[in-house]
Amino acid sequence: MKHHILVKFTEGTDVNALLEPVRAVFARTLEIPGVHGLELKRNCVDRPNRYDLLIVLDMDPEALPAYDASEPHHQWKRDYGELIAKKAIFDCE
C-alpha cells in the first residue's frame, strides 16, 4: 500500500531547508520490515492554499503498526510537529 502524508508547514517555515533532514528521518523507516520505498515530493506551486510536502511510504499493510511505533515516526512528530499547520494521511493500494 501507499501511505501518504500531506503536510502544510506553518507560515514562514523554510520548507526547502527541511527536505533533506526530513528525508533522513523517513529513510530510517526503510529498516522496518515491510517498508519498501520512500518518496518526498515538494509542491511546485507557491500559493497559500497549497500544501508544501508529500511524503509517500510504500509498505505492506501489516507494517503500519510497526511504522506507527517506530522511532523515526516518533522523531518526525517530536521534531517537526510544531512546524506543521495541517496534515492529512491517506492510505491506498
Side-chain angles (χ1 to χ4, degrees):
M1 82 174 180
K2 301 286 187 182
H3 178 73
H4 298 79
I5 306 164
L6 187 58
V7 182
K8 179 159 184 71
F9 290 102
T10 57
E11 190 173 333
T13 300
D14 184 353
V15 178
N16 290 324
L18 294 180
L19 290 179
E20 289 313 310
V22 167
R23 184 183 311 278
V25 169
F26 279 93
R28 294 176 36 229
T29 66
L30 296 172
E31 299 170 12
I32 300 168
V35 178
H36 309 292
L38 167 67
E39 289 182 77
L40 266 69
K41 297 189 180 276
R42 175 74 165 93
N43 180 31
C44 64
V45 176
D46 186 17
R47 291 189 180 174
N49 67 338
R50 300 294 197 267
Y51 279 66
D52 299 303
L53 181 65
L54 175 63
I55 303 161
V56 182
L57 292 169
D58 183 5
M59 67 171 70
D60 298 333
E62 300 79 21
L64 189 56
Y67 163 74
D68 286 341
S70 73
E71 177 52 30
H73 183 238
H74 291 288
Q75 181 183 359
W76 160 246
K77 291 167 66 174
R78 181 177 61 243
D79 293 355
Y80 299 95
E82 290 185 9
L83 298 175
I84 296 173
K86 297 180 193 176
K87 179 174 71 169
I89 307 298
F90 180 79
D91 297 311
C92 63
E93 294 293 324

